């Protein structure tokens, strides 16, 4: 919108010929006009810092506040009543802009350290991959795109290992055993050994490549199967550790802990710290009732999460892990009303409750992320799990076990509802995520039923 279009608006007519407005930088005039329209729309007779903060959040942030302040100084001078609220609203923007968290964005200068580039793979491997991709695209094999990409990455990693150790780039029993020994002993960037589930996924991807390429002997595939058996045995130990962590969590304390964090937000003087605490409270409160695996960082208002009939609901949403599988239903999840005020707090931040509907609407229109750092950058993929690990000693994946614990306490039949909520289709998955406490509850219920039966025969 140019200067003349702005000054042609009814609210500018009395001052349309003002030399100050005619010579004012266009960015400042835009900001001033936007602020005046915001005040009219929201019946702001006297601006408050919250009014100014919400206006800036909806209209360009810190730069808009600076432009509005500059314009106000030109039109009304240094004693203008609006300058105080504008400057008060500017402070949290300035603080949060300087606060950088760990972003989920990839490093721009990323260099491969333990992996080859796909074009450096042996020609026959590249041909096999192309053949698998063509068969997938033709519908001859049911393979999700992310699995194909994972398979390619693991091949590149396997190829790098063989090259670094002076071995031929080929699938042999010797090579597979050596790579197995390497994966089970190497440490991650954080200095911890790789989890069994991570290594199992690597060898599963290599096995998929061998199976779909149809270019390798049954002997080699059996060797890989034997390695996978060992890994799954190790994974069972880790699973038992997960349930040990679950046993130490009193599920009745999860939501009170989230409420405690949210209640204490106002005690933090730094607005960036208040933002972080709201994130933490949201990360604790919502996942147990809607266990979405590691997808929380990727949810966006409007695109995925909508406000409808008094509730935040997932719309046309398919879980990332299974969304490419034909016939999988969309996930019918929502944010339970008992915890939706944590989402409201994310939208409102420090602002007046009267702006909640406005912020909901704008969040949906502009597809705001559910989780962001104070400076506006996206959180890392495992953000929610990191919060759970710091609070409860285990990642947010435990929420699926919590669901089974709760429904198992109702009845074994109710675990079918738990399977739907967790997006599980196999009984094996249900058994894996059903904790010891749930099994003990089932045994106790069965024992009571047997006791009642014998009581009927007791004369």
């Amino acid at each position: 919108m140019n200067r003349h279009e702005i000054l042609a608006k009814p609210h500018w007519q009395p001052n349309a010929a003002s030399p100050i407005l005619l010579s004012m930088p266009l960015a400042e005039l835009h900001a001033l006009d936007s602020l005046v329209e915001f005040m009219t729309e929201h019946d702001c007779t006297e601006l408050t810092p919250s009014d100014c903060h919400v206006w800036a959040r909806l209209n360009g942030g810190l730069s808009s506040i600076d432009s509005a302040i500059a314009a106000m100084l030109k039109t009304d001078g240094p004693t203008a009543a609006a300058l105080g609220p504008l400057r008060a609203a500017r402070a949290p923007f300035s603080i949060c802009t300087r606060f950088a968290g760990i972003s989920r964005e990839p490093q721009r200068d990323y260099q491969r350290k333990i992996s080859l580039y796909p074009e450096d793979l042996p020609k026959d491997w590249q041909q096999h991959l192309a053949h698998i991709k063509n068969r997938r695209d033709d519908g001859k094999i049911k393979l999700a795109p992310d699995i194909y990409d994972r398979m390619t990455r693991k091949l590149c990693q396997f190829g790098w290992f063989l090259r670094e150790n002076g071995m031929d780039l080929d699938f042999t029993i010797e090579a597979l055993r050596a790579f197995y020994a390497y994966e089970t002993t190497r440490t991650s960037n954080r200095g911890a050994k790789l989890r069994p589930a991570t290594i199992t996924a690597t060898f599963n991807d290599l096995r998929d490549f061998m199976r779909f390429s149809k270019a390798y002997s049954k002997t080699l595939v059996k060797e890989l199967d034997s390695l996978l058996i060992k890994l799954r045995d190790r994974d069972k130990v880790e699973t038992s550790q997960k349930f040990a962590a679950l046993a130490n969590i009193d599920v009745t304390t999860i939501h009170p802990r989230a409420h405690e964090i949210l209640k204490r937000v106002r005690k933090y003087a730094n607005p960036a710290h208040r933002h972080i605490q709201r994130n933490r409270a949201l990360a604790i409160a919502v996942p147990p009732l809607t266990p979405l695996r590691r997808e929380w960082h990727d949810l966006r208002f409007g695109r995925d999460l909508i406000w409808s009939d008094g509730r935040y609901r997932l719309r046309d949403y398919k879980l990332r892990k299974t969304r490419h599988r034909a016939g999988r239903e969309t996930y019918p999840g929502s944010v339970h009303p008992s915890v939706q005020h944590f989402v409201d707090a994310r939208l409102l931040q420090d602002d007046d409750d009267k702006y909640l509907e406005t912020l909901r609407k704008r969040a949906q229109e502009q597809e705001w992320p559910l989780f962001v750092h104070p400076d506006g950058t996206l959180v890392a993929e495992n953000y929610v799990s990191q919060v759970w690990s710091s609070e409860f000693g285990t990642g947010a994946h435990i929420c699926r076990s919590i669901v089974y614990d709760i429904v198992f306490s109702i009845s074994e039949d109710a675990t079918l509802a738990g399977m739907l909520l967790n997006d599980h289709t196999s009984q094996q998955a249900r058994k894996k995520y059903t904790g010891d406490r749930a099994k003990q509850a089932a045994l106790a219920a069965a024992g009571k039923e047997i006791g009642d039966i014998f009581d009927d025969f007791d004369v």
Side-chain angles (χ1 to χ4, degrees):
M1 189 176 295
N2 61 39
R3 186 183 308 276
H4 295 294
E5 289 173 328
I6 294 175
L7 295 179
K9 294 180 179 180
H11 54 267
W12 289 117
Q13 284 304 295
N15 301 295
S18 166
I20 295 175
L21 295 178
L22 290 171
S23 62
M24 181 180 292
L26 188 57
E28 295 178 8
L29 184 59
H30 266 297
L32 194 59
D33 177 61
S34 172
L35 182 57
V36 170
E37 290 188 336
F38 178 87
M39 292 175 65
T40 302
E41 180 183 354
H42 295 279
D43 297 322
C44 300
T45 53
E46 293 184 9
L47 282 175
T48 67
S50 181
D51 297 329
C52 296
H53 193 259
V54 172
W55 164 74
R57 289 178 65 191
L58 301 177
N59 295 279
L62 184 60
S63 62
S64 292
I65 289 186
D66 288 338
S67 293
I69 290 174
M72 199 71 67
L73 287 170
K74 290 183 174 71
T75 57
D76 292 36
T79 59
L83 288 176
L86 282 168
R87 285 170 175 154
R90 186 188 189 283
F93 273 107
S94 180
I95 293 170
C96 289
T97 299
R98 296 193 302 268
F99 193 96
I102 300 174
S103 173
R104 66 172 288 232
E105 297 298 327
Q107 298 177 6
R108 293 183 181 275
D109 58 348
Y110 171 76
Q111 293 182 349
R112 293 170 183 255
K113 295 181 179 179
I114 58 169
S115 176
L116 299 177
Y117 288 95
E119 56 268 26
D120 293 333
L121 292 174
K123 294 299 181 185
D124 58 331
W125 291 10
Q126 294 185 45
Q127 290 170 359
H128 295 328
L129 282 172
H131 181 59
I132 293 171
K133 186 176 185 298
N134 290 337
R135 291 174 62 208
R136 183 202 68 187
D137 294 343
D138 292 340
K140 294 178 180 178
I141 55 175
K142 303 299 182 184
L143 191 65
D146 59 332
I147 297 177
Y148 175 83
D149 294 339
R150 237 177 27 231
M151 184 192 306
T152 304
R153 288 197 298 269
K154 296 308 178 183
L155 270 180
C156 292
Q157 185 178 332
F158 181 49
W160 172 87
F161 169 80
L162 296 177
R163 189 187 66 181
E164 290 296 303
N165 287 273
M167 303 174 72
D168 293 335
L169 270 67
D170 193 11
F171 278 85
T172 64
I173 292 177
E174 179 188 6
L176 290 171
R177 288 178 176 173
F179 187 52
Y180 173 85
Y182 168 73
E183 287 288 280
T184 52
T185 56
R186 79 178 176 95
T187 58
S188 67
N189 293 332
R190 293 172 296 183
K193 285 188 176 181
L194 300 183
R195 293 175 54 213
T198 301
I199 306 171
T200 301
T202 294
F203 281 89
N204 270 327
D205 292 334
L206 292 178
R207 189 187 186 284
D208 283 342
F209 171 76
M210 295 172 67
R211 181 164 57 95
F212 288 123
S213 65
K214 298 182 178 180
Y216 298 95
S217 69
K218 292 183 179 179
T219 303
L220 271 176
V221 175
K222 286 182 178 180
E223 178 66 21
L224 199 48
D225 284 339
S226 67
L227 295 179
L228 283 168
I229 289 172
K230 293 180 182 179
L231 286 168
R232 286 169 185 143
D233 287 342
R234 292 180 63 198
D235 197 17
K236 288 179 182 177
V237 174
E238 190 172 83
T239 299
S240 67
Q241 293 171 346
K242 174 183 71 176
F243 287 126
L246 174 61
N248 292 327
I249 298 176
D250 182 352
V251 296
T252 63
T253 67
I254 294 174
H255 282 164
R257 175 56 181 154
H259 282 285
E260 178 188 357
I261 293 173
L262 190 61
K263 186 178 179 180
R264 296 181 59 211
V265 162
R266 293 291 179 183
K267 295 184 178 181
Y268 290 86
N270 189 315
H273 292 166
R274 294 197 294 272
H275 184 110
I276 291 169
Q277 293 305 307
R278 291 188 188 97
N279 274 355
R280 289 184 68 84
L282 177 61
I284 293 170
V286 179
L289 299 178
T290 312
L292 294 185
R293 297 178 171 84
R294 298 174 66 181
E295 302 190 35
W296 290 101
H297 70 287
D298 203 30
L299 285 188
R300 288 182 176 269
F301 292 96
R303 186 190 71 184
D304 309 307
L305 199 63
I306 62 167
W307 177 257
S308 175
D309 298 325
R311 195 162 180 163
Y312 292 103
R313 303 177 187 275
L314 291 169
R315 179 179 61 183
D316 300 330
Y317 191 76
K318 288 193 176 184
L319 291 166
R320 184 175 63 184
K321 187 174 182 180
T322 57
R323 66 178 57 161
H324 297 292
R325 295 184 183 176
R328 294 309 290 267
E329 300 296 328
T330 55
Y331 185 78
S334 65
V335 176
H336 194 272
S338 65
V339 293
Q340 68 187 24
H341 62 285
F342 290 94
V343 184
D344 292 342
R346 176 267 178 266
L347 291 174
L348 280 170
Q349 297 299 325
D350 293 317
D351 294 318
D352 196 304
D353 289 354
K354 69 181 182 181
Y355 289 113
L356 180 58
E357 290 300 324
T358 298
L359 292 167
R360 280 176 180 161
K361 181 179 178 182
R362 185 61 64 91
Q364 292 191 175
E365 291 173 350
Q366 298 183 349
E367 296 187 352
W368 291 1
L370 180 61
F371 286 99
V372 289
H373 288 300
D375 65 347
T377 56
L378 301 177
V379 300
E381 183 173 349
N382 61 342
Y383 172 77
V384 170
S385 271
Q386 288 178 333
V387 172
W388 272 71
S389 292
S390 66
E391 290 287 340
F392 305 111
T394 186
H397 63 280
I398 206 70
C399 292
R400 296 193 288 284
S401 295
I402 290 173
V403 166
Y404 280 128
D405 263 14
I406 293 171
V407 297
F408 215 119
S409 66
I410 301 171
S411 72
E412 186 172 3
D413 289 340
T415 58
L416 296 176
M419 290 176 67
L420 291 174
L421 188 60
N422 285 327
D423 194 46
H424 288 154
T425 57
S426 69
Q427 294 296 330
Q428 181 181 1
R430 183 182 72 163
K431 291 176 180 177
K432 178 178 179 181
Y433 281 95
T434 301
D436 290 338
R437 287 188 301 179
K439 293 172 184 175
Q440 290 168 5
L443 286 172
K448 183 178 184 303
E449 284 193 24
I450 293 172
D452 291 342
I453 291 171
F454 278 101
D455 286 344
D456 291 338
F457 290 95
D458 189 9
V459 293

